[in-house]
Amino acid sequence: MSSVSPCSTHFLRTNPEKHGVPRTSGPKATGQGREKELQKIQEYRALVDTVNTKIHQRQYTNDVLGMTTRLLETNPEYYTIWNYRRLLLRSFFENATPSTSGTEDSSNKYSTVQQYITDDLAFLLPLLRKFPKCYWIWNYRLWLLAEATRLLPSPIVYQLWQKELGLVGKMLTLDSRNFHGWGYRRQVVSALEQLSVAMGSTTTSMTEDEFAYTTKMIESNLSNFSAWHRRSRLIPRLLSERNASHGERREFLDEDLALVQRALWADPDSKDQSLWFYHQYLISNFKSGSPQDASIILGLSNEDKLAYLKAQIDDLLEMLDGAETCKWIYQRLVELSLMSKSLNDRWPVEISDLEKWINKLLELDPLRKGRWQDLRKQILP
């Protein structure tokens, strides 16, 4: 992603982006308002020039740090200023790094580094509320925590990361589909698990808790793509850590198939794709040659796979009644039929049905017309 130019006026008039709502410019300023805006731009440019000069002169001071704060509060997408801030803090950290001269001296210097980091984490909070989808804020916050991990004792670092888990939980409560927040949460959980190992904790995995969290978020919003995706990534590890038997894995698969099918039945003609993608993940377990490390159930016989596929086809055909304009149902029917044929070289439905479904896809999904035409040539005699 490219930065917003320091000379751009757009950032002075944009509203914070909400999920699914693009940023839009406010009303154009006229008269006196225009003059005030031009003055702000001139002040901003002058501040940028001052910061550039002082950084090039290696004036790594608190005053310069304050200048970067003012710039980032105005334009958090100017990534060069974030890099300047890293240079400043790295300089402060080096000057405060504990020596080996004594316990008290080390404790004081650890405290200094911790204070710099906690102050900067606090500085970022209002920016995250105002600009929750700005990459540079999230990246910089992770950098701060990585520096804490590098420089501070593990118990202190663990507390910082633990607070981050609470913070990202609150942010996802406000916007449950913010993929920045979900990505950040994954990294926070990974850091906490690694720290638990380093500290010799008897409980190091957070997989069970995170899986329960995805269930909670899905139940509050079925269209949460990030929650469904996170769930799919957790499942293989979850079952492995549980040392789940074949029967337990099969029961798990049945329960999740029932979960997503109930959600699809609630609104089969929905334009939302997240449920269909998760359904695709589940049925991939019946695909010939599916990767073992991503599978929910292992060692399923072809006979069992065919039985599952037939049940899914029957359910979708029933769902189709009243949802004849949902292209996802036709697409999934074709995919299931192809999977079934790959297992026993026989179509599970009449060729005329396949032709009808592909023709509906050509009608409902014209952007992929070439794909459906090629598929029709492969299937139909």
Side-chain angles (χ1 to χ4, degrees):
M1 176 184 290
S2 61
S3 71
V4 175
S5 166
C7 298
S8 169
T9 63
H10 177 69
F11 67 85
L12 292 172
R13 303 193 301 270
T14 54
N15 298 320
E17 179 182 344
K18 301 298 183 183
H19 188 87
V21 180
R23 298 182 182 182
T24 56
S25 296
K28 293 184 178 179
T30 57
Q32 188 176 4
R34 177 63 175 167
E35 291 179 5
K36 288 182 179 180
E37 187 174 277
L38 289 172
Q39 183 180 353
K40 287 182 181 179
I41 294 169
Q42 291 172 357
E43 292 172 354
Y44 176 82
R45 287 174 171 172
L47 188 57
V48 169
D49 290 340
T50 300
V51 170
N52 282 331
T53 299
K54 290 185 178 294
I55 291 295
H56 292 156
Q57 294 174 350
R58 298 183 182 276
Q59 296 185 33
Y60 299 155
T61 66
N62 280 313
D63 287 342
V64 178
L65 184 69
M67 293 179 191
T68 66
T69 296
R70 289 160 55 194
L71 288 175
L72 293 170
E73 286 174 341
T74 304
N75 179 13
E77 299 203 47
Y78 190 7
Y79 64 82
T80 300
I81 305 301
W82 289 113
N83 289 334
Y84 286 168
R85 198 172 181 93
R86 287 180 174 91
L87 286 174
L88 291 164
L89 285 180
R90 273 278 172 89
S91 175
F92 299 160
F93 295 158
E94 288 172 4
N95 292 331
T97 299
S99 66
T100 57
S101 57
T103 303
E104 184 177 350
D105 181 53
S106 296
S107 178
N108 289 338
K109 290 185 176 181
Y110 278 139
S111 179
T112 301
V113 171
Q114 184 180 356
Q115 191 62 54
Y116 276 125
I117 290 173
T118 53
D119 286 349
D120 238 33
L121 289 171
F123 154 67
L124 297 177
L125 282 177
L127 293 182
L128 277 175
R129 293 191 190 102
K130 191 175 182 182
F131 306 97
K133 295 187 179 179
C134 177
Y135 283 94
W136 315 114
I137 303 174
W138 291 104
N139 290 346
Y140 182 78
R141 195 169 186 91
L142 280 174
W143 177 82
L144 281 174
L145 290 161
E147 288 296 284
T149 304
R150 182 174 69 89
L151 297 169
L152 298 175
S154 294
I156 295 175
V157 176
Y158 189 87
Q159 290 178 5
L160 290 174
W161 283 104
Q162 192 69 45
K163 289 180 180 178
E164 289 302 292
L165 188 62
L167 168 69
V168 76
K170 291 178 181 178
M171 294 203 69
L172 288 174
T173 298
L174 295 174
D175 182 1
S176 64
R177 297 188 295 172
N178 185 341
F179 68 89
H180 297 274
W182 280 96
Y184 189 75
R185 186 182 180 94
R186 286 195 296 273
Q187 296 186 70
V188 170
V189 168
S190 176
L192 285 169
E193 289 179 331
Q194 291 176 37
L195 283 165
S196 294
V197 172
M199 294 166 64
S201 174
T202 55
T203 304
T204 58
S205 175
M206 298 176 64
T207 307
E208 290 282 356
D209 289 342
E210 285 302 288
F211 184 78
Y213 182 76
T214 66
T215 303
K216 170 188 167 185
M217 299 302 282
I218 287 166
E219 287 175 348
S220 66
N221 183 354
L222 291 173
S223 297
N224 194 329
F225 183 94
S226 295
W228 286 111
H229 175 72
R230 176 65 169 153
R231 187 181 186 87
S232 70
R233 303 299 293 175
L234 287 168
I235 286 174
R237 181 181 173 187
L238 178 80
L239 294 172
S240 176
E241 290 180 2
R242 289 179 178 178
N243 198 23
S245 65
H246 180 82
E248 289 169 335
R249 286 174 174 270
R250 187 160 187 164
E251 182 180 359
F252 185 98
L253 177 60
D254 290 343
E255 289 176 354
D256 255 32
L257 276 170
L259 171 68
V260 76
Q261 284 171 328
R262 286 196 302 270
L264 288 171
W265 269 101
D267 188 9
D269 203 20
S270 171
K271 304 301 180 185
D272 177 60
Q273 302 176 23
S274 56
L275 294 171
W276 289 105
F277 283 140
Y278 189 71
H279 183 258
Q280 184 178 47
Y281 160 71
L282 294 177
I283 64 170
S284 68
N285 285 271
F286 315 132
K287 190 174 183 179
S288 177
S290 60
Q292 295 292 297
D293 59 349
S295 296
I296 295 176
I297 190 166
L298 306 172
L300 200 63
S301 68
N302 278 5
E303 183 180 355
D304 285 338
K305 290 180 181 180
L306 289 167
Y308 269 110
L309 292 171
K310 183 180 185 306
Q312 291 299 305
I313 290 173
D314 291 344
D315 188 72
L316 288 172
L317 286 172
E318 189 176 352
M319 190 184 298
L320 191 60
D321 184 17
E324 290 81 2
T325 60
C326 179
K327 75 112 176 177
W328 291 102
I329 298 179
Y330 298 107
Q331 180 173 332
R332 190 54 39 82
L333 284 168
V334 172
E335 290 169 351
L336 291 168
S337 298
L338 288 168
M339 290 169 62
S340 182
K341 188 173 189 297
S342 72
L343 294 171
N344 69 347
D345 201 31
R346 292 171 53 189
W347 290 112
V349 296
E350 297 294 331
I351 288 293
S352 59
D353 290 328
L354 281 169
E355 182 176 15
K356 179 175 63 178
W357 298 337
I358 294 175
N359 287 338
K360 288 296 292 187
L361 285 168
L362 285 166
E363 174 190 336
L364 298 170
D365 193 17
L367 289 177
R368 295 166 187 80
K369 180 179 178 181
R371 175 187 177 186
W372 306 128
Q373 287 177 332
D374 287 344
L375 187 59
R376 183 167 59 185
K377 290 177 183 177
Q378 296 172 27
I379 292 176
L380 300 180

